[in-house]
C-alpha cells in the first residue's frame, strides 16, 4: 500500500492487500478518477482481482497504462485494470512451478526449474 504502482498517467494507484489486487484513485491534482473506481460521485478502493492461489508477481504491463501482468500458480497473465464485465484476462506464459521476477529495466524474467529466460512484450 505504501508503494503502489501508478497507472493511468498516475491517476490510478494499484497495490496488493490480502492477496487481492486493489486499485484506488490518486489524489494528484488534475487527475480524473477512472469510472470503475467511483459510484455516485464517491470513489473508493476497488478490488481488481482476487485469486485463490497466492500472487507471485504484480507489475504494469509494458507500454500500457490500463493493464497489469500478474503471476500466480503456474502461469503469467495479462489483466485489465477495469474489473467490470467483461474484464480482459489472458494467459501469457505457463510453466512448471515458475518463479517470476522483475529486473530493474522493467523486463520480466522467469525461472522454471530448468532455465531462466526473459519475457518480451
Amino acid at each position: 500500500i505504501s508503494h503502489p504502482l501508478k497507472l493511468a498517467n498516475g491517476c490510478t494507484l494499484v497495490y496488493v492487500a490480502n492477496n487481492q489486487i486493489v486499485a484506488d484513485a490518486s489524489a494528484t491534482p488534475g487527475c480524473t478518477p477512472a469510472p470503475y473506481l467511483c459510484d455516485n460521485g464517491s470513489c473508493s478502493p476497488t478490488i481488481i482481482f482476487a485469486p485463490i492461489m497466492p500472487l507471485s508477481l504484480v507489475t504494469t504491463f509494458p507500454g500500457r497504462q490500463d493493464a497489469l501482468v500478474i503471476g500466480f500458480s503456474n502461469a503469467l497473465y495479462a489483466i485489465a485494470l477495469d474489473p467490470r464485465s467483461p474484464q480482459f484476462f489472458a494467459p501469457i506464459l505457463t510453466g512448471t512451478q515458475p518463479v517470476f521476477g522483475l529486473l530493474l529495466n522493467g523486463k520480466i524474467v522467469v525461472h522454471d526449474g530448468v532455465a531462466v529466460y526473459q519475457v518480451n512484450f
Side-chain angles (χ1 to χ4, degrees), residues 12-24:
T12 301
L13 307 176
V14 177
Y15 55 89
V16 176
N18 299 317
N19 203 53
Q20 298 173 329
I21 300 172
V22 179
D24 201 356

Side-chain angles (χ1 to χ4, degrees), residues 2-3 67 73 115:
S2 61
H3 300 288
S73 185

Side-chain angles (χ1 to χ4, degrees), residues 42-81:
S42 177
C43 300
S44 60
T46 300
I47 296 172
I48 301 300
F49 187 67
I52 295 170
M53 302 294 291
L55 290 162
S56 57
L57 174 73
V58 176
T59 191
T60 57
F61 193 98
R64 299 288 301 259
Q65 289 288 310
D66 62 346
L68 298 169
V69 174
I70 61 173
F72 66 94
S73 185
N74 65 341
L76 194 63
Y77 299 90
I79 187 169
L81 278 182

Side-chain angles (χ1 to χ4, degrees), residues 56 73-76 93-100 110-113 117:
S56 57
S73 185
N74 65 341
L76 194 63
L93 175 139
T94 58
T96 305
Q97 298 181 331
V99 176
F100 309 109
V110 181
H111 179 264
D112 69 0
Y117 49 95

